Amino acid sequence: MPAVFHLPARLIPWLPPQPWLQVRSATRPVLRMGEREVRLRLLEAPSKLSVDQLPALLSLGAAAKDPGHGVPLLVGAFLSQRIREALEARDANYLDASGHLHLVAPGFFIHLGGGRSAPGVKQPGQGTLGVHGVRAIQTLLGEQAPVSVSQLAERAALSVGQTHKVLTRLEEVGLVRTSGRGPAKRRTVRERTELLDWLQTQTSATRRERSLQVALYARRPEDLWLHSSTKLSKAGIPHALTGAAAASVFGIGPTSVPLSRVRISPKVPLSQAAEALGAEVTERGANLTLLQDTGKVGCQSATHQDGILVAPPVRIYLDARSERRGEDIAQRFREEVLGY
């Protein structure tokens, strides 16, 4: 006999199909199997949730132990592995948009390790996402409110036609929803966690760029980043620090980065950027990699952080994932800076 999970409609897509678990829409969250029934009390997890916030959020105490209030279930679009482990250590329950579910209640023990496929993952015969589409999605992930095609096009520095094509694709795969009609039509990301998961599976989002390795003297990595950014800015060369080095500027990961990455505008030859830096082109002893920023996914919307031009946060995360031993840094950056 399968268990039946009654949840609000917005949470149903979060759970992967299971032969022993049915999920149905209901305003009152309940878990049933046969004559057994457990009421649930949903606790909304804030973005960028930290372990220190858990005791207060979970309200561990009399209310949680009173069956009349329901068994607490923390729900959040993105719950990091660190948060999930801390919740389990506290015998607390959780559900996130990646399909991670941990629920311990009288007569029930359910643990799902996630792995739900993001909707719309490219199938044979579907069109591929271009680099301009990547830039549009990076911008869209930063939007906190519904956005029109023209608004997103302006913020991503793309044509309305290019932007409309990307948004239509995302609608087709169920990653954005629409509201309104005509000029009042707006798009909203359903779950930023799902959209980012989908984006990182796209080849164009993690493409291998043309690069040039150079050496530039600096006593510390922080000096290298500031010195490089200052010189490139004075030369009028659009650029952005990215990957693990940029994550370190945000306080994530080691400050000692042996090879830092800087994205250079595709309109500027990498050799010209190296000359502007006064750097030596070399494969041995290099401490800086200049990357051609195809599609301007790094330079467009770059911002100053401690005097250094850094790429948009989503691009920093994607580039860090592709670096040697960069997965852990990327994951920490996603948990602590992106928060989804």
Side-chain angles (χ1 to χ4, degrees):
M1 176 184 297
V4 183
F5 215 155
H6 297 265
L7 289 171
R10 68 181 180 88
L11 301 180
I12 290 178
W14 291 11
L15 281 174
Q18 303 289 341
W20 48 269
L21 181 64
Q22 298 177 3
V23 186
R24 297 178 184 172
S25 177
T27 55
R28 188 170 69 105
V30 174
L31 181 60
R32 291 193 180 101
M33 188 168 70
E35 297 182 355
R36 284 179 290 172
E37 176 180 305
V38 174
R39 291 180 58 189
L40 302 171
R41 179 162 57 95
L42 302 185
L43 305 175
E44 297 289 341
S47 62
K48 301 181 182 179
L49 176 63
S50 69
V51 173
D52 293 339
Q53 294 174 287
L54 291 181
L57 180 63
L58 294 171
S59 300
L60 297 176
K65 295 176 181 177
D66 184 351
H69 287 80
V71 175
L73 176 66
L74 183 70
V75 294
F78 177 73
L79 299 177
S80 69
Q81 182 177 346
R82 189 177 307 153
I83 291 293
R84 298 196 307 271
E85 290 175 350
L87 287 167
E88 291 173 27
R90 289 170 167 81
D91 293 324
N93 306 310
Y94 60 78
L95 169 65
D96 72 8
S98 296
H100 297 106
L101 171 65
H102 183 78
L103 180 57
V104 181
F108 292 94
F109 178 85
I110 301 175
H111 183 88
L112 296 176
R116 181 179 56 80
S117 298
V121 172
K122 183 177 179 297
Q123 300 294 331
Q126 289 184 333
T128 57
L129 182 71
V131 288
H132 293 105
V134 173
R135 193 164 91 222
I137 294 174
Q138 288 181 184
T139 305
L140 182 61
L141 280 165
E143 296 294 329
Q144 301 297 323
V147 65
S148 68
V149 174
S150 59
Q151 287 172 334
L152 184 61
E154 181 179 357
R155 291 164 192 171
L158 295 170
S159 71
V160 171
Q162 288 173 317
T163 307
H164 183 268
K165 183 177 179 181
V166 175
L167 289 174
T168 299
R169 171 87 184 277
L170 295 180
E171 286 179 49
E172 291 172 351
V173 298
L175 289 166
V176 300
R177 60 175 178 267
T178 62
S179 60
R181 292 184 178 181
K185 191 172 185 178
R186 297 290 185 271
R187 271 82 169 183
T188 308
V189 176
R190 289 184 180 274
E191 292 291 347
R192 288 191 294 173
T193 300
E194 294 181 4
L195 182 53
L196 181 56
D197 285 346
W198 181 83
L199 179 62
Q200 69 187 32
T201 68
Q202 305 302 301
T203 305
S204 54
T206 55
R207 55 178 284 149
R208 189 180 184 88
E209 302 287 8
R210 183 169 171 266
S211 64
L212 183 67
Q213 291 193 341
V214 301
L216 184 63
Y217 173 76
R219 295 182 61 185
R220 303 178 305 156
E222 295 92 335
D223 298 333
L224 174 67
W225 304 332
L226 182 59
H227 184 57
S228 300
S229 189
T230 301
K231 280 203 164 188
L232 290 170
S233 294
K234 285 184 178 179
I237 297 177
H239 66 282
L241 187 71
T242 191
S248 294
V249 175
F250 284 86
I252 306 298
T255 55
S256 178
V257 180
L259 195 59
S260 303
R261 292 182 172 188
V262 177
R263 285 185 170 268
I264 303 294
S265 168
K267 295 182 179 180
V268 178
L270 297 181
S271 57
Q272 180 181 333
E275 185 177 347
L277 286 168
E280 177 189 357
V281 178
T282 179
E283 293 185 1
R284 299 186 64 180
N287 58 357
L288 204 59
T289 299
L290 306 180
L291 298 172
Q292 180 175 285
D293 191 31
T294 306
K296 299 181 181 178
V297 294
C299 295
Q300 183 67 34
S301 302
T303 58
H304 280 95
Q305 186 79 11
D306 297 335
I308 303 165
L309 265 179
V310 298
V314 172
R315 174 46 47 189
I316 292 173
Y317 165 73
L318 293 172
D319 284 345
R321 291 183 75 246
S322 67
E323 294 185 35
R324 186 179 180 184
R325 293 191 292 273
E327 282 281 357
D328 290 343
I329 295 173
Q331 188 61 28
R332 278 196 60 200
F333 186 83
R334 179 171 182 170
E335 294 172 9
E336 300 180 28
V337 177
L338 292 176
Y340 56 85

